[in-house]
């Protein structure tokens, strides 16, 4: 049966350079794995069966590289990608690691920092375009505060909008053809990050000059940290035509950003998410933004990467099983039977209507049974 | 000094009938206070100095009241409001208490339940209009799930939109002139409620037929339950022109809905919130959606209500102190000095610009000092 | 395969009267199910295959029942239990529902309330003893505060101890032979409940006069609400010889008390828990302290109850599979090989020892693989 | 008034070398401050008015230092401490930073790692003893798991006990005279850390060979991360005679470990904590285990350190005000009046007692008023 869960290009499984290349450094401990060069990361991804690789500008090109160093790196990396049939569907920019961003990037109080952040993003867009990246993700990891004394939030929003509008113009001017995907997170590394949820970005996008060019990149861990339902966020984005990318990993609510192997903490949530993506026909990358435990060497990193893809495919299989399960279909039919086409009609007609509340509330809805059948499928016993 | 913190009509302090009328029932205990009639609630609010009262339809008129019972109740209530100079700035509808809503109201799977919910809302709008209410709040407390097996989330969103569009038309047709204010909550009483945050509604509103008619009603407790920053949500709503109402109370993150006395759990968060509202000139109601501890009798309920208003006024005073504090102004001036007008300019010019990252990151930003000065003001020692 | 997951008496599956009898009332909604009499609850439990039933005093006997009413109820209930071969392994006392307990029971500031709480507990002990209950659970749902202004916490602890010591003496004097099992919860219905975690009670027990008579009753939902690892709490209790009872249900962290169907929210956590209980040979009741969704009628309540037991048995089966899985056993053997018997020895010898840190940190530990194999077993694909 | 809040030696304010020496590195960003040498850290602490400094072994002596390097460092550091009248009341050991501890220290699966961890601790004890440290803190930051597949929790507990028992013996043998203080944390850097709460250690201590030698070191941030009430944990430890040390900082529930300036996130919680410590006469160090925002230079670090101490002293002052406030004393007297000495008496007498539940529940308890008065004092308006 396991043989069914092998990744193939059509599954569009991608990993960031920073994911398999994560060295296991954390706030209380130093790195445990040697540096994995971008070239070796691509080879590792090819070995485990991934479709593509994504990167921040500085995952590939050091922040202080000269132009010629940059070109050398780019050429070698492109060749490796080509040789290994690894695509680059998405690129992004690191606006959080360097000390210059300690107070934010697009929202920093220092206007020079904001300009530098925009410049750095433009260059990262150019870099990604060289690899044919079609999606450009923006995660504003430092756009936030430890104390709200330092700036007005509405000012920060205006600054963020100004940067985005400018970058959209740059995108047009260069013919890069990017879709921007904004990625939200409520906290960490800052106490409160602006645009704390995917929905906050969905609302913000509507205020941009080029709103069709901008969508969202929901991440399981980031929505789950505050205990929100990831699939609900994804569904709202999808329904609004804004699901431009997705970051898959796992997380327990109310904790530091764990970036666990996909499906390994909350398999039921992962199931609903995979089912939604497959049911609606989401065709973008399935990007795993996660990393291996600190107990692992690079063999363990491969185990981690394989596990992410395998679990996705297992859950995709189960979603299909769910959709074709006889008893589930029967219950859904019963539900649908109460959902008779019934337009609200004229105001007068609706106001005159007579509803029997007790009758409407009398029949059990069989949701416990429906959910237990879901668990049975998840457990593989039905 | 206390004398400075007396509520006056211009402060626009309002309470829901259900707040001072809360009888202290909870999931593990029965009511501890006798029923407070709507008429007596108004008298209590007048006694403590409130400006207005808000209600759900069934706070005032029982769900099974006949037309004549309704009219009698309405007349007596109106007279009491008039006699006590208590306004009704906002009305809302209860779409969560009756068993008929166990699977949702506008998003229920049963189309009859959806129609009934819309009808009930229309009647509640009519009721509020009789009292001159200008804002109509909608909290979809049952619009959610225990298991995502029961319906597709995008279907639920479409149902919610259909209901809202219809209700906007009704609002126009009747000349009610309402602004709708949508109130979000992530969970409780359902495991996951759709539109989990204020931002989710901000995004949703942009998809409505009459989007200018619809805004949000952020609630401190509801944003805080998942650990989000209430003031940030309010600021985004304000910046988008969508802050149509606000629910003030208090809450510790990661818990059941506590609805504590305003400012009593997180005074610093309350300070930033009051400061924002006052700084931007928010002119709507300051509505307290909270209730007294279960240890209290109605004297304690008065203590609770007085405390909500008093704390607001104390914090308003401190916001003024903050804005005029010399050292704070000095630090803000230093911050502003780095924020020199600096348009991004042409793409070529910006790309050619040279930034000294180390220099930009070298100077301390004095945010610890700024925050400690804020604490000093909060503590009343500076 | 489903036929393997049928409950049998040896599984010791029990339910509280208040679980299948839960009427679906919540803070925002009224009851949705008719009252289920204790007698009918027993019949329902027999029908679904449970081993036993547990109760609070007032689940069975109303708080205001006369002596003769009490006796009538007791006799009828005993006969129903006997006729249906339903055992009563545990009894408990309701010290939270009545308004008299709004400020606590054993820790209330009013000494009369404390005396009444102790008296009520003694009578509940007598009642349980009539049914042969061997475990007496104490959940101090109201032992806490909304404001720490009202009492010193160390005073509350002393009051709680005084009550427990007295009740232990009563237990001895009456020859009831109970083991007491203390059940912790961090919040809800009070803002902060004393003894917030199972571990807090484990520590407290060591200060009692009759410490061997008292252990703990960890509950999945209560440990999970603050995001703690339920199995870790259970393991510490077990290791200390204090796991006297257990409450099984499910919960998402950082929320109101959900009391979901066992294993339906966090199946992986449920797996580790079942595996631990089975591996160590826990022989007590598997008590489900949960309730059906509010969308259900009593058929749905049966679905819920059957689902709890079925999931336990599925996970028990998977635990066995895990223990006998070849690759898992191989990895565990590798782990064990590094765990060579190596006493710390003399101080001098240990201080003189030379450790090669780099070597010790060099080998991957295969925990990602181990965890993915666990997921495969959980998903039923291996 | 500010002049009253100057730190003095009798306040016993201490800081870890790692707190003022924190360079602002986080999971998403590099260091923003230059290295502060231990010697300069001591000078900084003297400048801001601290009483003492604490350290992990490797804060002072690099993990790979030779014996002579160690001695040189120790001598210079001692001289600096002496010259600046800075005490070293507490020492601790770093069992989390080096890769060797990726799977734990005392609980690691590799018995060599466990031995090395114990050896390292012995040496750290010797080091601390050279400075007259009286308390030895143990924080088991890596004693936990990402997957419970890797070891049995009860085995981990036994390993931890074996190490502690051995270290207690070492303490005796060397005449170090330490009190051990165990510090709990629920998660981060591991997904689940064993002994997740202070209470878990309180329970564990009772199972040790030398239980009187071991107590706890509760930390505000660590108890608050899962949303527990820090003061309640401290009170239980105090009541059990186990409050051997305390770590003061601040934290918002449900997040990464923030280590914020004391009192800056939850001033009300900080108030209850300070009030408890002062009311019971806690005489140990007030240790600030926090660090400055990443936006700060070393002037900002001084602002941070001064703010921690200042806020403590402000709250101490307010606690005094609270204890002497007339209306508060009146309400507390009313409460005490219901707490008449009322022993439970004989079983028969108590069972025969007649309680009027309605009467006992009828009177309001004035806790809202009590809490608002507390807020008034906190705000400095009463």
């Amino acid at each position: 049966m396991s043989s069914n869960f092998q990744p193939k290009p059509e599954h569009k499984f991608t990993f960031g350079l920073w994911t398999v290349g994560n060295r296991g450094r954390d706030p209380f401990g130093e790195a445990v794995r040697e540096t994995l060069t971008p070239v070796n990361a691509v080879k590792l991804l090819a070995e485990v069966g991934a479709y593509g690789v994504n990167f921040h500008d500085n995952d590939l090109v050091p922040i202080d590289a000269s132009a010629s160093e940059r070109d050398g790196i780019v050429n070698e990396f492109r060749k490796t990608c080509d040789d290994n049939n690894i695509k680059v569907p998405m690129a992004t920019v690191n606006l959080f690691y360097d000390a210059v961003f300690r107070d934010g990037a697009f929202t920093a109080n220092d206007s020079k920092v904001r300009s530098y952040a925009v410049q750095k993003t433009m260059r990262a867009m150019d870099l990604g375009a060289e690899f044919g990246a079609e999606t450009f993700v923006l995660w504003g990891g430092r756009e936030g505060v430890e104390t709200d004394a330092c700036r007005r939030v509405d000012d920060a929003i205006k600054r963020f909008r100004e940067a985005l509008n400018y970058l959209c113009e740059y995108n047009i001017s260069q013919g890069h053809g990017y879709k921007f995907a904004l990625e939200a997170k409520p906290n960490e590394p800052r106490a409160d990050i602006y645009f704390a949820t995917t929905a906050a970005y969905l609302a913000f996008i509507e205020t941009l000059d080029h709103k069709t060019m901008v969508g969202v990149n929901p991440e399981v861990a980031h929505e789950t940290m505050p205990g929100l339902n990831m699939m609900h966020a994804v569904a709202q984005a999808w329904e609004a035509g804004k699901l431009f990318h997705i970051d898959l990993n796992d997380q327990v609510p109310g904790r530091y950003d764990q970036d666990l192997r996909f499906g390994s903490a909350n398999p039921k949530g992962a199931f609903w998410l995979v089912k939604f993506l497959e049911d609606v026909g989401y065709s973008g990358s399935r990007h795993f933004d996660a990393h291996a435990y600190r107990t692992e060497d690079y063999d363990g990193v491969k185990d981690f990467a394989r596990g992410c893809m395998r679990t996705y495919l297992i859950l995709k299989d189960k979603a299909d099983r769910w959709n074709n399960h006889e008893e589930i279909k029967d219950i859904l039919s019963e539900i649908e039977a109460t959902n008779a086409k019934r337009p609200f009609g004229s105001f007068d007609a609706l106001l005159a209507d007579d509803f029997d509340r007790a009758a409407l509330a009398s029949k059990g809805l069989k949701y416990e049974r429906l959910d237990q059948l879901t668990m049975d499928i998840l457990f593989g016993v039905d």
Side-chain angles (χ1 to χ4, degrees), chain A:
Chain A
M1 191 173 185
S2 301
S3 61
N4 298 328
F5 307 126
Q6 294 302 317
K8 294 180 191 151
E10 64 260 34
H11 298 133
K12 295 200 178 162
F13 291 135
T14 65
F15 290 82
L17 275 184
W18 67 95
T19 65
V20 290
N22 182 291
R23 298 182 55 206
R25 201 193 76 159
D26 70 28
F28 302 91
E30 67 179 332
V32 294
R33 289 185 284 271
E34 292 301 303
T35 296
L36 184 71
T37 64
V39 159
N40 284 335
V42 167
K43 290 177 184 166
L44 184 154
L45 289 175
E47 179 184 344
V48 298
Y51 164 76
V53 67
N54 305 313
F55 51 76
H56 300 89
D57 48 353
N58 303 140
D59 297 336
L60 184 59
V61 182
I63 196 167
D64 285 319
S66 69
S68 68
E69 286 167 343
R70 176 195 184 283
D71 291 346
I73 290 167
V74 164
N75 288 336
E76 184 192 16
F77 189 71
R78 183 186 298 108
K79 185 173 182 320
T80 310
C81 288
D82 290 347
D83 289 352
N84 289 278
N85 197 24
I86 291 288
K87 303 288 179 282
V88 181
M90 179 269 269
T92 180
V93 58
N94 185 322
L95 299 176
F96 45 86
Y97 193 78
D98 193 86
V100 73
F101 299 124
R102 72 215 153 122
D103 184 42
F106 299 158
T107 65
N109 281 335
D110 188 326
S111 54
K112 281 209 190 66
V113 173
R114 300 201 296 273
S115 290
Y116 172 64
V118 170
Q119 184 200 62
K120 190 171 193 289
T121 305
M122 292 159 74
R123 289 177 176 168
M125 289 168 66
D126 296 346
L127 178 67
E130 291 191 50
F131 291 90
E134 297 177 347
T135 304
F136 196 86
V137 163
L138 282 167
W139 172 57
R142 296 283 171 196
E143 316 292 6
V145 289
E146 280 74 45
T147 174
D148 280 310
C150 75
R151 76 177 69 83
R152 279 266 295 265
V153 179
D154 45 345
D155 285 342
I157 294 172
K158 288 181 207 315
R159 291 174 187 169
F160 202 89
R161 182 181 298 118
E162 187 185 4
L164 258 286
N165 283 339
Y166 187 88
L167 291 166
C168 284
E169 294 287 350
Y170 185 69
N171 188 32
I172 294 166
S173 77
Q174 305 300 302
H176 283 333
Y178 279 120
K179 293 280 189 179
F180 289 97
L182 307 182
E183 177 179 333
K185 191 178 176 184
N187 63 74
E188 196 194 21
R190 306 222 58 177
D192 288 289
I193 300 179
Y194 302 129
F195 306 109
T197 60
T198 295
Y201 273 130
L202 287 177
F204 169 73
I205 289 165
E206 297 302 314
T207 71
L208 294 176
D209 290 346
H210 299 281
K211 59 183 82 169
T212 57
M213 198 183 290
V214 189
V216 291
N217 177 39
E219 174 171 325
V220 176
H222 296 181
E223 292 294 315
T224 303
M225 284 166 66
L228 301 177
N229 185 313
M230 168 68 171
M231 188 270 279
H232 287 202
V234 166
Q236 185 176 9
W238 174 263
E239 208 264 346
K242 292 297 187 190
L243 187 67
F244 287 5
H245 201 260
I246 194 163
D247 273 6
L248 302 173
N249 53 22
D250 218 343
Q251 173 77 28
V252 174
R255 297 193 179 178
Y256 70 100
D257 188 11
Q258 298 186 281
D259 284 346
L260 296 166
R261 201 174 73 255
F262 181 60
S264 66
N266 180 8
K268 193 179 183 189
F271 169 73
W272 293 126
L273 179 58
V274 169
K275 183 172 184 308
F276 184 86
L277 294 175
E278 298 297 323
D279 283 352
V280 301
Y282 168 77
S283 62
S285 296
R286 274 74 174 164
H287 177 238
F288 297 104
D289 186 6
H291 56 75
Y293 304 154
R294 208 164 162 272
T295 49
E296 306 303 294
D297 59 13
Y298 282 106
D299 283 332
V301 171
K302 290 178 204 169
D303 290 336
F304 147 80
R306 287 191 179 105
C308 286
M309 296 184 286
R310 176 177 171 83
T311 292
Y312 189 99
L313 293 174
I314 292 169
L315 294 175
K316 182 174 186 292
D317 199 63
K318 289 182 184 294
D320 194 56
R321 169 79 183 129
W322 198 96
N323 287 332
N324 292 289
H325 187 283
E326 287 307 319
E327 188 178 348
I328 288 176
K329 287 199 289 185
D330 288 346
I331 297 177
L332 294 181
S333 294
E334 282 188 62
I335 288 174
E336 195 50 32
T338 68
N339 187 25
K341 194 76 187 166
R342 196 180 191 291
F344 295 137
S346 76
F347 301 133
D348 286 349
L350 183 53
L351 284 169
D353 219 338
D354 198 25
F355 297 95
D356 182 341
R357 295 202 322 276
L360 287 171
S362 63
K363 202 170 144 293
L365 298 181
K366 302 194 182 176
Y367 292 174
E368 286 279 0
R369 180 65 186 152
L370 205 47
D371 193 70
Q372 181 64 32
L373 289 170
T374 304
M375 295 313 301
D376 281 5
I377 290 173
L378 212 54
F379 290 139
V381 298
D382 193 356

